[in-house]
Amino acid sequence: MSVHGCQHLSAFKAAKGTDPFRIIYSYFIACPSADARRIKAKSCVCHTCRQPTLRLHACMYCIYFGCYGAKHIHEHAKSKKHNLAIDLTYGTVICFSCEDYVYDKDLEDIARSFSQKPSLNLVNLKDPFSSWEPSEDELQLLKKNPKRRKVDAKSTVGLRGLINLGNTCFMNCIVQALTHTPILRDFFLADRHTCQMPGESKQCLVCEMARLFQEFYSGICTPHIPYKLLHLVWTNARHLAGYEQQDAHEFLIAALDVLHRHCKGTNGMSCSNPHLCNCIIDQIFTGGLQSDVTCKQCNNVSTTIDPIWDISLDLGPGPPAFSSHSTPSPGGTGFTNSPGNYEPTSLLECLKRFTRPEHLGSSAKIKCGKCHCYQESTKQLTMKKLPVVACFHLKRFEHSTGYHKKISTFVSFPDELDMTPFMSSSRNDNNGFSNQIIQDMPTSLSCDNKYSLFAVVNHCGTIEVGHYTCYIRLHKDQWFKCDDHMITKATITEVLNSEGYLLFYHKQILEYE
Protein backbone atom coordinates (compact mmCIF):
# COMPACT_ATOMS: atom_id res chain seq x y z
CA MET A 1 0.00 0.00 0.00
CA SER A 2 1.45 3.37 -1.02
CA VAL A 3 1.07 6.64 0.87
CA HIS A 4 -1.58 7.64 -1.68
CA GLY A 5 -3.96 4.82 -0.92
CA CYS A 6 -5.26 2.32 -3.42
CA GLN A 7 -5.96 2.82 -7.12
CA HIS A 8 -9.68 3.30 -6.46
CA LEU A 9 -9.05 6.13 -3.98
CA SER A 10 -6.54 7.72 -6.37
CA ALA A 11 -9.12 7.63 -9.17
CA PHE A 12 -11.73 9.18 -6.84
CA LYS A 13 -9.36 12.03 -5.87
CA ALA A 14 -8.52 12.67 -9.51
CA ALA A 15 -12.22 13.00 -10.37
CA LYS A 16 -13.66 14.70 -7.27
CA GLY A 17 -10.67 15.95 -5.27
CA THR A 18 -10.51 15.83 -1.48
CA ASP A 19 -13.49 18.09 -0.74
CA PRO A 20 -15.94 15.20 -0.05
CA PHE A 21 -13.57 13.87 2.61
CA ARG A 22 -12.95 17.33 4.05
CA ILE A 23 -16.68 18.12 4.36
CA ILE A 24 -17.61 14.78 5.95
CA TYR A 25 -14.63 14.93 8.32
CA SER A 26 -15.42 18.50 9.36
CA TYR A 27 -19.13 18.00 10.11
CA PHE A 28 -19.31 14.41 11.32
CA ILE A 29 -15.90 13.50 12.76
CA ALA A 30 -14.02 16.61 13.94
CA CYS A 31 -17.22 18.50 14.95
CA PRO A 32 -15.39 21.72 16.01
CA SER A 33 -18.52 23.57 17.12
CA ALA A 34 -21.60 22.89 19.24
CA ASP A 35 -23.82 23.22 16.14
CA ALA A 36 -21.76 20.60 14.33
CA ARG A 37 -22.11 18.21 17.25
CA ARG A 38 -25.89 18.74 17.35
CA ILE A 39 -26.10 18.03 13.61
CA LYS A 40 -24.05 14.88 14.07
CA ALA A 41 -26.23 13.67 16.95
CA LYS A 42 -29.37 14.08 14.83
CA SER A 43 -27.98 12.76 11.55
CA CYS A 44 -25.75 9.84 12.49
CA VAL A 45 -28.17 6.98 12.00
CA CYS A 46 -28.16 4.24 9.40
CA HIS A 47 -30.31 5.28 6.44
CA THR A 48 -31.50 1.68 6.02
CA CYS A 49 -32.39 0.49 9.53
CA ARG A 50 -32.66 4.00 11.08
CA GLN A 51 -30.58 2.85 14.07
CA PRO A 52 -27.54 4.63 15.59
CA THR A 53 -24.43 2.48 15.68
CA LEU A 54 -20.77 2.66 16.71
CA ARG A 55 -19.58 1.48 13.28
CA LEU A 56 -21.43 3.97 11.08
CA HIS A 57 -19.86 4.74 7.70
CA ALA A 58 -20.59 7.60 5.29
CA CYS A 59 -20.50 7.07 1.53
CA MET A 60 -17.99 9.38 -0.19
CA TYR A 61 -20.03 9.48 -3.43
CA CYS A 62 -23.50 10.36 -2.16
CA ILE A 63 -25.46 11.24 0.97
CA TYR A 64 -25.81 7.86 2.63
CA PHE A 65 -24.95 6.59 6.12
CA GLY A 66 -24.86 2.83 6.65
CA CYS A 67 -23.98 0.57 9.56
CA TYR A 68 -21.00 -1.74 9.19
CA GLY A 69 -22.17 -4.53 11.52
CA ALA A 70 -25.42 -5.21 9.65
CA LYS A 71 -23.63 -4.84 6.27
CA HIS A 72 -25.90 -2.01 5.11
CA ILE A 73 -22.94 0.08 3.96
CA HIS A 74 -21.64 -3.01 2.13
CA GLU A 75 -24.99 -3.48 0.36
CA HIS A 76 -25.05 0.19 -0.63
CA ALA A 77 -21.50 -0.02 -2.01
CA LYS A 78 -22.38 -3.11 -4.05
CA SER A 79 -25.71 -1.86 -5.42
CA LYS A 80 -24.57 1.69 -6.21
CA LYS A 81 -20.95 0.80 -7.08
CA HIS A 82 -19.84 3.38 -4.52
CA ASN A 83 -16.75 1.59 -3.27
CA LEU A 84 -15.38 4.21 -0.83
CA ALA A 85 -16.76 5.17 2.58
CA ILE A 86 -15.53 6.91 5.76
CA ASP A 87 -15.71 5.46 9.26
CA LEU A 88 -17.46 8.22 11.23
CA THR A 89 -15.78 7.17 14.48
CA TYR A 90 -12.13 7.21 13.41
CA GLY A 91 -12.17 9.03 10.06
CA THR A 92 -10.52 6.15 8.21
CA VAL A 93 -11.43 5.35 4.60
CA ILE A 94 -12.51 1.87 3.59
CA CYS A 95 -12.35 0.59 0.02
CA PHE A 96 -14.88 -2.16 -0.62
CA SER A 97 -13.15 -3.14 -3.85
CA CYS A 98 -9.91 -3.80 -1.93
CA GLU A 99 -11.88 -5.11 1.09
CA ASP A 100 -9.68 -3.13 3.47
CA TYR A 101 -9.11 0.27 5.03
CA VAL A 102 -6.64 2.37 3.05
CA TYR A 103 -4.16 5.06 4.07
CA ASP A 104 -3.73 8.27 2.11
CA LYS A 105 -1.26 11.00 3.08
CA ASP A 106 -3.38 13.85 1.67
CA LEU A 107 -6.43 12.75 3.66
CA GLU A 108 -4.28 12.20 6.74
CA ASP A 109 -3.00 15.78 6.46
CA ILE A 110 -6.60 17.05 6.30
CA ALA A 111 -7.52 15.06 9.41
CA ARG A 112 -4.41 16.31 11.22
CA SER A 113 -5.26 19.93 10.37
CA PHE A 114 -8.61 19.56 12.15
CA SER A 115 -7.08 17.91 15.21
CA GLN A 116 -4.60 20.78 15.60
CA LYS A 117 -7.24 23.52 15.69
CA PRO A 118 -7.43 25.22 19.12
CA SER A 119 -11.24 25.05 19.20
CA LEU A 120 -11.09 21.27 19.39
CA ASN A 121 -9.13 21.43 22.63
CA LEU A 122 -12.18 22.92 24.35
CA VAL A 123 -14.24 19.83 23.58
CA ASN A 124 -14.11 17.29 26.39
CA LEU A 125 -13.78 14.28 24.14
CA LYS A 126 -11.35 11.39 23.98
CA ASP A 127 -8.24 12.27 21.98
CA PRO A 128 -8.49 10.93 18.43
CA PHE A 129 -5.94 8.51 17.07
CA SER A 130 -2.81 10.26 15.84
CA SER A 131 0.17 8.83 14.03
CA TRP A 132 3.57 8.71 15.74
CA GLU A 133 5.71 11.78 15.37
CA PRO A 134 9.31 11.71 16.66
CA SER A 135 10.20 14.05 19.49
CA GLU A 136 13.27 16.30 19.40
CA ASP A 137 15.28 13.77 21.41
CA GLU A 138 14.22 10.98 19.08
CA LEU A 139 15.14 13.05 16.03
CA GLN A 140 18.63 13.60 17.44
CA LEU A 141 18.95 9.89 18.15
CA LEU A 142 17.91 9.04 14.60
CA LYS A 143 20.45 11.50 13.19
CA LYS A 144 23.24 9.93 15.26
CA ASN A 145 22.26 6.48 13.97
CA PRO A 146 21.59 6.99 10.25
CA LYS A 147 21.89 3.32 9.32
CA ARG A 148 18.49 1.77 8.63
CA ARG A 149 17.51 -1.86 8.29
CA LYS A 150 15.05 -2.21 5.44
CA VAL A 151 12.43 -4.93 5.85
CA ASP A 152 11.12 -6.20 2.53
CA ALA A 153 9.56 -9.38 1.15
CA LYS A 154 12.93 -11.15 1.10
CA SER A 155 14.06 -9.97 4.51
CA THR A 156 14.89 -12.59 7.14
CA VAL A 157 14.88 -10.23 10.12
CA GLY A 158 13.12 -12.07 12.93
CA LEU A 159 14.47 -15.49 12.04
CA ARG A 160 16.75 -16.88 14.70
CA GLY A 161 17.39 -20.38 15.97
CA LEU A 162 17.27 -21.39 19.64
CA ILE A 163 19.80 -23.62 21.34
CA ASN A 164 18.37 -26.79 22.87
CA LEU A 165 19.35 -26.72 26.55
CA GLY A 166 18.51 -30.37 27.14
CA ASN A 167 15.12 -31.63 25.95
CA THR A 168 13.85 -28.05 25.64
CA CYS A 169 12.57 -28.34 22.07
CA PHE A 170 9.04 -28.02 23.48
CA MET A 171 9.93 -24.55 24.81
CA ASN A 172 11.78 -23.49 21.66
CA CYS A 173 8.74 -24.20 19.49
CA ILE A 174 6.38 -22.15 21.66
CA VAL A 175 8.90 -19.28 21.79
CA GLN A 176 9.10 -19.31 17.98
CA ALA A 177 5.30 -19.23 17.70
CA LEU A 178 4.96 -16.37 20.22
CA THR A 179 7.75 -14.24 18.74
CA HIS A 180 6.08 -14.51 15.32
CA THR A 181 2.59 -13.66 16.58
CA PRO A 182 2.03 -10.40 14.64
CA ILE A 183 0.18 -8.29 17.19
CA LEU A 184 2.32 -9.52 20.11
CA ARG A 185 5.45 -8.69 18.10
CA ASP A 186 4.13 -5.19 17.39
CA PHE A 187 3.38 -4.65 21.08
CA PHE A 188 6.89 -5.52 22.28
CA LEU A 189 8.79 -3.89 19.41
CA ALA A 190 6.85 -0.67 20.07
CA ASP A 191 8.23 -0.77 23.64
CA ARG A 192 4.71 -0.83 25.08
CA HIS A 193 5.57 -2.95 28.11
CA THR A 194 5.96 -1.20 31.45
CA CYS A 195 7.08 -3.53 34.21
CA GLN A 196 4.47 -3.86 36.97
CA MET A 197 6.84 -5.66 39.35
CA PRO A 198 8.95 -2.90 40.99
CA GLY A 199 12.38 -4.08 42.02
CA GLU A 200 11.77 -7.49 40.48
CA SER A 201 12.31 -6.86 36.78
CA LYS A 202 14.84 -9.69 36.75
CA GLN A 203 12.00 -12.00 37.79
CA CYS A 204 9.46 -10.60 35.31
CA LEU A 205 8.76 -12.97 32.42
CA VAL A 206 7.20 -10.15 30.40
CA CYS A 207 10.45 -8.16 30.61
CA GLU A 208 12.35 -11.23 29.46
CA MET A 209 9.94 -11.64 26.53
CA ALA A 210 10.55 -7.99 25.63
CA ARG A 211 14.30 -8.66 25.61
CA LEU A 212 13.71 -11.81 23.56
CA PHE A 213 11.87 -9.84 20.88
CA GLN A 214 14.76 -7.40 20.73
CA GLU A 215 17.16 -10.33 20.29
CA PHE A 216 15.06 -11.88 17.51
CA TYR A 217 14.57 -8.67 15.54
CA SER A 218 18.07 -7.21 16.02
CA GLY A 219 19.26 -8.75 12.76
CA ILE A 220 21.66 -11.16 14.48
CA CYS A 221 21.56 -14.57 12.83
CA THR A 222 23.49 -16.71 15.31
CA PRO A 223 21.34 -19.00 17.50
CA HIS A 224 20.10 -17.50 20.76
CA ILE A 225 20.53 -19.25 24.12
CA PRO A 226 17.26 -18.78 26.08
CA TYR A 227 18.66 -19.72 29.49
CA LYS A 228 17.07 -16.74 31.30
CA LEU A 229 13.67 -17.62 29.89
CA LEU A 230 14.05 -21.27 30.92
CA HIS A 231 15.07 -20.24 34.46
CA LEU A 232 12.06 -17.93 34.82
CA VAL A 233 9.69 -20.64 33.59
CA TRP A 234 11.16 -23.14 36.03
CA THR A 235 10.83 -20.57 38.84
CA ASN A 236 7.20 -19.66 38.11
CA ALA A 237 5.90 -23.01 36.79
CA ARG A 238 7.69 -25.58 38.93
CA HIS A 239 5.86 -28.54 37.39
CA LEU A 240 7.88 -27.85 34.22
CA ALA A 241 11.25 -27.68 36.01
CA GLY A 242 13.92 -30.23 35.10
CA TYR A 243 15.42 -31.62 31.94
CA GLU A 244 12.70 -34.16 31.15
CA GLN A 245 10.76 -33.79 27.92
CA GLN A 246 7.59 -31.75 28.55
CA ASP A 247 4.41 -31.24 26.59
CA ALA A 248 4.46 -28.17 24.31
CA HIS A 249 0.76 -27.47 24.92
CA GLU A 250 1.23 -27.58 28.68
CA PHE A 251 4.18 -25.21 28.36
CA LEU A 252 2.11 -22.78 26.24
CA ILE A 253 -0.68 -22.57 28.81
CA ALA A 254 1.81 -22.21 31.68
CA ALA A 255 3.72 -19.47 29.82
CA LEU A 256 0.54 -17.52 29.04
CA ASP A 257 -0.54 -17.80 32.66
CA VAL A 258 2.80 -16.49 33.99
CA LEU A 259 2.87 -13.70 31.39
CA HIS A 260 -0.67 -12.74 32.35
CA ARG A 261 0.18 -12.64 36.07
CA HIS A 262 3.38 -10.65 35.54
CA CYS A 263 1.54 -8.17 33.30
CA LYS A 264 -0.66 -7.48 36.33
CA GLY A 265 2.35 -7.28 38.63
CA THR A 266 1.45 -10.36 40.68
CA ASN A 267 3.81 -13.26 41.27
CA GLY A 268 1.29 -15.60 42.83
CA MET A 269 -2.00 -17.04 41.69
CA SER A 270 -4.78 -14.47 41.60
CA CYS A 271 -7.95 -15.29 43.51
CA SER A 272 -10.05 -13.58 40.87
CA ASN A 273 -10.68 -14.87 37.38
CA PRO A 274 -7.23 -14.86 35.73
CA HIS A 275 -8.65 -14.12 32.28
CA LEU A 276 -10.84 -11.08 32.93
CA CYS A 277 -8.33 -8.29 32.53
CA ASN A 278 -7.06 -5.99 29.83
CA CYS A 279 -3.42 -7.07 29.65
CA ILE A 280 -1.86 -7.75 26.25
CA ILE A 281 -2.06 -11.54 26.75
CA ASP A 282 -5.81 -11.47 27.34
CA GLN A 283 -6.40 -8.98 24.54
CA ILE A 284 -4.74 -11.36 22.09
CA PHE A 285 -5.42 -14.90 23.28
CA THR A 286 -8.63 -14.85 25.34
CA GLY A 287 -11.86 -15.99 23.75
CA GLY A 288 -15.30 -16.76 25.17
CA LEU A 289 -16.67 -20.33 25.11
CA GLN A 290 -20.45 -20.56 25.50
CA SER A 291 -22.01 -23.67 27.04
CA ASP A 292 -25.76 -24.20 26.52
CA VAL A 293 -27.44 -26.93 28.58
CA THR A 294 -30.98 -27.66 27.34
CA CYS A 295 -33.52 -29.55 29.44
CA LYS A 296 -35.11 -32.34 27.42
CA GLN A 297 -38.37 -32.04 29.32
CA CYS A 298 -39.15 -28.32 29.01
CA ASN A 299 -36.43 -27.10 26.57
CA ASN A 300 -35.20 -24.55 29.13
CA VAL A 301 -31.67 -23.39 28.24
CA SER A 302 -29.03 -22.60 30.86
CA THR A 303 -26.08 -20.63 29.43
CA THR A 304 -22.62 -20.01 30.81
CA ILE A 305 -19.65 -18.28 29.14
CA ASP A 306 -16.11 -19.16 30.15
CA PRO A 307 -12.85 -17.52 29.07
CA ILE A 308 -10.42 -19.75 27.16
CA TRP A 309 -6.87 -19.47 25.83
CA ASP A 310 -7.08 -22.41 23.43
CA ILE A 311 -9.43 -25.08 22.07
CA SER A 312 -8.49 -28.72 22.66
CA LEU A 313 -9.93 -31.07 20.04
CA ASP A 314 -10.30 -34.84 20.42
CA LEU A 315 -8.92 -37.04 17.65
CA GLY A 316 -10.09 -40.45 18.90
CA PRO A 317 -13.42 -42.11 18.05
CA GLY A 318 -16.22 -39.94 19.35
CA PRO A 319 -19.31 -40.87 21.37
CA PRO A 320 -22.71 -41.17 19.66
CA ALA A 321 -23.76 -37.82 18.30
CA PHE A 322 -26.98 -36.20 19.39
CA SER A 323 -29.34 -35.22 16.61
CA SER A 324 -32.56 -33.23 16.81
CA HIS A 325 -33.59 -34.59 13.39
CA SER A 326 -33.62 -38.31 14.24
CA THR A 327 -36.37 -40.45 15.78
CA PRO A 328 -38.10 -38.39 18.51
CA SER A 329 -37.83 -39.43 22.14
CA PRO A 330 -40.29 -38.51 24.91
CA GLY A 331 -38.36 -35.27 25.38
CA GLY A 332 -38.77 -34.35 21.72
CA THR A 333 -35.21 -35.26 20.69
CA GLY A 334 -33.33 -38.31 19.50
CA PHE A 335 -29.99 -39.95 18.74
CA THR A 336 -27.99 -41.23 15.83
CA ASN A 337 -24.89 -43.41 16.08
CA SER A 338 -23.69 -43.08 12.50
CA PRO A 339 -21.76 -39.77 12.61
CA GLY A 340 -20.39 -40.20 16.13
CA ASN A 341 -18.02 -43.16 16.08
CA TYR A 342 -15.45 -41.94 13.64
CA GLU A 343 -12.03 -40.38 13.85
CA PRO A 344 -11.97 -36.83 12.40
CA THR A 345 -9.52 -36.30 9.55
CA SER A 346 -9.67 -32.50 9.29
CA LEU A 347 -9.71 -29.48 11.56
CA LEU A 348 -13.20 -28.60 10.32
CA GLU A 349 -14.49 -32.07 11.30
CA CYS A 350 -12.90 -31.64 14.73
CA LEU A 351 -14.63 -28.29 15.19
CA LYS A 352 -17.97 -29.68 14.01
CA ARG A 353 -17.68 -32.48 16.55
CA PHE A 354 -16.57 -30.05 19.27
CA THR A 355 -19.62 -27.82 18.74
CA ARG A 356 -22.30 -30.43 18.13
CA PRO A 357 -25.03 -31.08 20.76
CA GLU A 358 -24.09 -33.84 23.20
CA HIS A 359 -26.59 -35.93 25.17
CA LEU A 360 -25.52 -36.05 28.82
CA GLY A 361 -27.44 -39.27 29.59
CA SER A 362 -29.48 -40.49 32.54
CA SER A 363 -26.38 -40.86 34.71
CA ALA A 364 -25.55 -37.15 34.42
CA LYS A 365 -28.87 -35.48 35.08
CA ILE A 366 -28.78 -31.76 35.82
CA LYS A 367 -31.26 -29.85 37.96
CA CYS A 368 -33.41 -27.73 35.67
CA GLY A 369 -34.08 -24.18 36.87
CA LYS A 370 -37.56 -24.28 35.33
CA CYS A 371 -38.67 -27.83 36.20
CA HIS A 372 -36.99 -27.61 39.64
CA CYS A 373 -35.95 -31.25 39.42
CA TYR A 374 -33.19 -33.34 37.86
CA GLN A 375 -33.73 -33.99 34.16
CA GLU A 376 -31.82 -35.41 31.23
CA SER A 377 -30.33 -32.72 29.07
CA THR A 378 -28.15 -31.91 26.10
CA LYS A 379 -25.05 -29.75 26.10
CA GLN A 380 -23.58 -27.73 23.26
CA LEU A 381 -20.36 -25.69 23.13
CA THR A 382 -20.03 -22.71 20.78
CA MET A 383 -17.77 -19.67 20.46
CA LYS A 384 -19.34 -16.56 21.96
CA LYS A 385 -16.26 -14.36 21.49
CA LEU A 386 -13.39 -15.07 19.12
CA PRO A 387 -9.83 -14.30 20.21
CA VAL A 388 -7.39 -12.38 18.04
CA VAL A 389 -5.15 -15.46 17.99
CA ALA A 390 -6.91 -18.82 17.95
CA CYS A 391 -4.82 -21.78 19.12
CA PHE A 392 -6.12 -25.27 18.34
CA HIS A 393 -4.68 -28.17 20.32
CA LEU A 394 -5.06 -31.52 18.54
CA LYS A 395 -5.09 -34.07 21.38
CA ARG A 396 -2.61 -36.59 19.98
CA PHE A 397 -1.55 -37.99 23.36
CA GLU A 398 -4.07 -40.36 24.91
CA HIS A 399 -3.67 -41.26 28.58
CA SER A 400 -5.84 -43.81 30.36
CA THR A 401 -5.33 -46.26 33.21
CA GLY A 402 -2.26 -48.28 32.34
CA TYR A 403 -2.49 -47.27 28.71
CA HIS A 404 -0.70 -44.45 26.89
CA LYS A 405 -0.45 -43.92 23.17
CA LYS A 406 0.04 -41.27 20.51
CA ILE A 407 -2.58 -40.74 17.80
CA SER A 408 -0.66 -40.17 14.55
CA THR A 409 -3.74 -39.81 12.34
CA PHE A 410 -3.22 -37.18 9.65
CA VAL A 411 -5.54 -34.24 10.30
CA SER A 412 -5.73 -31.72 7.49
CA PHE A 413 -6.01 -28.02 8.28
CA PRO A 414 -6.47 -24.99 5.99
CA ASP A 415 -4.27 -21.94 5.64
CA GLU A 416 -7.43 -19.81 5.92
CA LEU A 417 -10.21 -20.63 8.37
CA ASP A 418 -13.68 -19.16 8.83
CA MET A 419 -15.08 -19.59 12.35
CA THR A 420 -18.56 -18.22 11.55
CA PRO A 421 -20.32 -21.64 11.55
CA PHE A 422 -19.04 -22.34 15.07
CA MET A 423 -20.21 -19.08 16.62
CA SER A 424 -23.06 -18.96 19.12
CA SER A 425 -24.92 -16.65 16.74
CA SER A 426 -24.93 -19.41 14.09
CA ARG A 427 -26.95 -21.85 16.20
CA ASN A 428 -30.46 -22.55 14.94
CA ASP A 429 -33.55 -23.13 17.02
CA ASN A 430 -32.93 -26.89 17.08
CA ASN A 431 -29.73 -26.60 19.13
CA GLY A 432 -27.57 -27.19 16.11
CA PHE A 433 -25.96 -25.40 13.21
CA SER A 434 -27.42 -24.83 9.81
CA ASN A 435 -26.09 -27.52 7.49
CA GLN A 436 -26.08 -24.98 4.69
CA ILE A 437 -23.70 -22.71 6.62
CA ILE A 438 -21.19 -25.53 7.17
CA GLN A 439 -21.48 -26.87 3.62
CA ASP A 440 -20.95 -23.42 2.09
CA MET A 441 -18.11 -22.47 4.44
CA PRO A 442 -15.11 -23.24 2.17
CA THR A 443 -16.44 -21.04 -0.62
CA SER A 444 -18.04 -18.21 1.37
CA LEU A 445 -15.60 -16.94 3.94
CA SER A 446 -16.83 -14.22 6.27
CA CYS A 447 -14.28 -11.43 6.55
CA ASP A 448 -15.22 -10.68 10.16
CA ASN A 449 -14.33 -14.17 11.44
CA LYS A 450 -11.63 -15.17 8.96
CA TYR A 451 -8.27 -16.38 10.26
CA SER A 452 -4.88 -17.00 8.65
CA LEU A 453 -2.46 -19.71 9.72
CA PHE A 454 0.89 -18.36 10.96
CA ALA A 455 2.46 -21.12 13.07
CA VAL A 456 2.27 -24.91 13.41
CA VAL A 457 3.94 -26.96 16.16
CA ASN A 458 4.61 -30.60 15.23
CA HIS A 459 5.63 -33.65 17.26
CA CYS A 460 7.48 -36.55 15.68
CA GLY A 461 8.23 -39.82 17.40
CA THR A 462 6.36 -41.76 20.07
CA ILE A 463 4.80 -40.77 23.36
CA GLU A 464 7.95 -41.93 25.16
CA VAL A 465 10.59 -40.51 22.82
CA GLY A 466 9.89 -37.61 20.48
CA HIS A 467 10.93 -34.22 19.21
CA TYR A 468 9.10 -30.93 18.60
CA THR A 469 9.59 -28.72 15.56
CA CYS A 470 7.74 -25.63 14.42
CA TYR A 471 6.73 -23.98 11.16
CA ILE A 472 6.37 -20.19 11.25
CA ARG A 473 5.23 -17.66 8.66
CA LEU A 474 7.62 -14.73 8.38
CA HIS A 475 5.88 -12.84 5.56
CA LYS A 476 2.64 -13.43 3.72
CA ASP A 477 3.93 -16.28 1.56
CA GLN A 478 7.20 -17.23 3.27
CA TRP A 479 7.35 -20.20 5.61
CA PHE A 480 10.31 -21.52 7.60
CA LYS A 481 10.90 -24.66 9.64
CA CYS A 482 12.42 -24.10 13.10
CA ASP A 483 14.22 -27.16 14.47
CA ASP A 484 15.95 -25.77 17.57
CA HIS A 485 19.02 -23.91 16.21
CA MET A 486 18.35 -24.92 12.59
CA ILE A 487 16.16 -22.64 10.42
CA THR A 488 15.32 -23.88 6.91
CA LYS A 489 12.99 -22.57 4.23
CA ALA A 490 9.70 -24.44 3.82
CA THR A 491 6.71 -24.41 1.50
CA ILE A 492 3.05 -24.04 2.36
CA THR A 493 2.54 -27.58 1.04
CA GLU A 494 5.02 -28.95 3.59
CA VAL A 495 3.26 -27.02 6.34
CA LEU A 496 -0.23 -28.24 5.43
CA ASN A 497 1.00 -31.84 5.06
CA SER A 498 2.71 -31.88 8.47
CA GLU A 499 1.44 -33.74 11.52
CA GLY A 500 0.03 -30.74 13.33
CA TYR A 501 -0.14 -30.70 17.12
CA LEU A 502 -0.71 -26.99 17.87
CA LEU A 503 -2.20 -24.75 15.18
CA PHE A 504 -1.97 -20.97 15.53
CA TYR A 505 -4.34 -18.74 13.52
CA HIS A 506 -4.42 -14.94 13.51
CA LYS A 507 -7.58 -12.94 12.84
CA GLN A 508 -7.35 -11.17 9.49
CA ILE A 509 -9.42 -8.12 10.46
CA LEU A 510 -9.04 -6.41 13.83
CA GLU A 511 -11.72 -4.05 15.10
CA TYR A 512 -10.96 -1.04 17.27
CA GLU A 513 -12.26 -1.20 20.82
Side-chain angles (χ1 to χ4, degrees):
M1 185 68 67
S2 71
V3 295
H4 298 294
C6 65
Q7 58 179 341
H8 310 100
L9 182 56
S10 297
F12 176 88
K13 287 167 55 182
K16 299 180 180 293
T18 59
D19 283 346
F21 178 86
R22 186 189 305 274
I23 293 170
I24 295 174
Y25 199 97
S26 173
Y27 282 94
F28 298 103
I29 299 169
C31 298
S33 65
D35 288 339
R37 291 191 291 278
R38 278 193 289 268
I39 292 174
K40 179 177 180 178
K42 292 179 181 179
S43 306
C44 281
V45 294
C46 176
H47 288 184
T48 298
C49 62
R50 309 306 300 177
Q51 296 295 321
T53 175
L54 294 176
R55 295 291 308 275
L56 198 67
H57 285 63
C59 177
M60 289 181 64
Y61 292 85
C62 66
I63 302 175
Y64 177 84
F65 293 169
C67 49
Y68 186 92
K71 307 292 185 184
H72 293 147
I73 188 66
H74 300 71
E75 294 168 2
H76 173 81
K78 185 176 181 180
S79 62
K80 301 293 186 180
K81 300 189 184 304
H82 294 175
N83 57 353
L84 296 171
I86 305 174
D87 185 329
L88 293 183
T89 302
Y90 300 99
T92 50
V93 176
I94 186 172
C95 176
F96 292 102
S97 297
C98 298
E99 297 183 346
D100 200 0
Y101 288 91
V102 294
Y103 171 83
D104 182 87
K105 188 177 185 303
D106 295 335
L107 303 188
E108 186 69 22
D109 289 340
I110 293 173
R112 187 180 291 109
S113 68
F114 280 104
S115 64
Q116 293 173 348
K117 289 184 178 180
S119 58
L120 288 181
N121 297 330
L122 301 176
V123 184
N124 188 22
L125 298 174
K126 184 178 178 181
D127 291 338
F129 171 80
S130 59
S131 58
W132 174 77
E133 297 288 345
S135 64
E136 288 298 325
D137 292 340
E138 289 168 334
L139 284 173
Q140 293 301 321
L141 189 61
L142 290 171
K143 289 178 181 178
K144 290 180 181 179
N145 299 273
K147 187 178 180 180
R148 302 287 182 267
R149 185 177 296 279
K150 184 179 180 181
V151 178
D152 54 27
K154 296 182 180 180
S155 173
T156 57
V157 175
L159 286 179
R160 195 168 183 185
L162 293 168
I163 297 295
N164 192 319
L165 300 175
N167 289 326
T168 58
C169 56
F170 67 94
M171 178 185 73
N172 290 348
C173 288
I174 299 304
V175 170
Q176 292 286 1
L178 292 179
T179 52
H180 290 90
T181 300
I183 197 169
L184 191 65
R185 173 198 63 206
D186 296 345
F187 174 84
F188 280 109
L189 292 184
D191 199 21
R192 298 286 302 277
H193 169 59
T194 302
C195 186
Q196 300 297 319
M197 302 177 69
E200 297 187 28
S201 61
K202 292 183 179 180
Q203 298 299 318
C204 177
L205 186 61
V206 190
C207 291
E208 180 57 31
M209 282 297 296
R211 285 189 286 268
L212 200 62
F213 273 91
Q214 294 294 333
E215 289 286 348
F216 264 72
Y217 291 91
S218 65
I220 300 174
C221 298
T222 56
H224 178 68
I225 306 175
Y227 65 93
K228 288 185 179 179
L229 179 70
L230 181 64
H231 171 73
L232 285 173
V233 171
W234 283 2
T235 302
N236 294 280
R238 295 191 178 277
H239 62 288
L240 296 175
Y243 289 99
E244 297 84 9
Q245 180 68 275
Q246 302 290 349
D247 180 57
H249 172 253
E250 188 176 0
F251 178 85
L252 170 67
I253 299 303
L256 292 179
D257 178 62
V258 176
L259 287 168
H260 157 79
R261 288 190 278 122
H262 287 191
C263 277
K264 296 175 65 179
T266 58
N267 213 2
M269 291 300 294
S270 173
C271 59
S272 60
N273 192 323
H275 296 281
L276 298 180
C277 83
N278 198 38
C279 73
I280 187 61
I281 299 302
D282 289 286
Q283 288 184 48
I284 295 175
F285 294 96
T286 299
L289 184 67
Q290 178 170 316
S291 173
D292 294 304
V293 178
T294 305
C295 174
K296 289 186 61 180
Q297 187 65 34
C298 67
N299 290 326
N300 180 57
V301 180
S302 175
T303 299
T304 57
I305 300 174
D306 296 309
I308 57 169
W309 275 334
D310 72 315
I311 299 176
S312 293
L313 301 170
D314 288 314
L315 298 184
F322 174 80
S323 172
S324 59
H325 304 290
S326 54
T327 306
S329 66
T333 53
F335 297 90
T336 174
N337 290 326
S338 56
N341 294 318
Y342 73 97
E343 293 186 1
T345 58
S346 72
L347 177 61
L348 295 181
E349 288 182 3
C350 290
L351 287 169
K352 286 165 67 176
R353 186 165 78 167
F354 181 78
T355 55
R356 74 186 178 193
E358 172 191 3
H359 177 61
L360 298 181
S362 57
S363 60
K365 290 184 178 180
I366 295 178
K367 188 172 183 179
C368 175
K370 189 174 181 180
C371 298
H372 302 292
C373 61
Y374 287 91
Q375 300 283 3
E376 291 190 25
S377 58
T378 60
K379 179 180 179 181
Q380 184 176 19
L381 300 175
T382 52
M383 293 302 299
K384 178 65 175 179
K385 175 182 177 293
L386 291 174
V388 174
V389 170
C391 175
F392 300 102
H393 167 222
L394 303 182
K395 297 169 70 173
R396 293 194 174 276
F397 303 119
E398 191 174 288
H399 302 276
S400 57
T401 305
Y403 183 71
H404 307 282
K405 73 170 186 176
K406 178 187 175 184
I407 301 174
S408 297
T409 305
F410 175 72
V411 178
S412 64
F413 49 92
D415 59 340
E416 287 193 344
L417 174 68
D418 183 18
M419 288 294 290
T420 301
F422 312 109
M423 297 290 292
S424 304
S425 56
S426 297
R427 292 176 67 244
N428 58 31
D429 294 335
N430 296 317
N431 292 336
F433 294 102
S434 167
N435 289 330
Q436 191 64 34
I437 291 178
I438 295 180
Q439 290 171 3
D440 292 347
M441 182 175 54
T443 57
S444 58
L445 293 177
S446 168
C447 291
D448 292 340
N449 303 320
K450 187 193 290 187
Y451 285 79
S452 291
L453 184 72
F454 73 91
V456 178
V457 173
N458 294 286
H459 180 272
C460 59
T462 65
I463 196 171
E464 292 85 10
V465 180
H467 180 63
Y468 286 100
T469 58
C470 179
Y471 287 104
I472 57 97
R473 189 188 69 194
L474 186 64
H475 300 295
K476 183 176 181 180
D477 300 317
Q478 290 194 23
W479 285 87
F480 292 86
K481 182 179 181 181
C482 304
D483 187 352
D484 288 332
H485 65 284
M486 295 288 295
I487 307 290
T488 55
K489 196 169 179 59
T491 64
I492 184 62
T493 303
E494 292 177 55
V495 177
L496 298 181
N497 287 335
S498 65
E499 187 183 287
Y501 179 53
L502 297 175
L503 311 176
F504 293 85
Y505 286 85
H506 196 288
K507 215 171 186 182
Q508 291 189 359
I509 294 180
L510 303 181
E511 295 193 8
Y512 294 104
E513 293 183 354

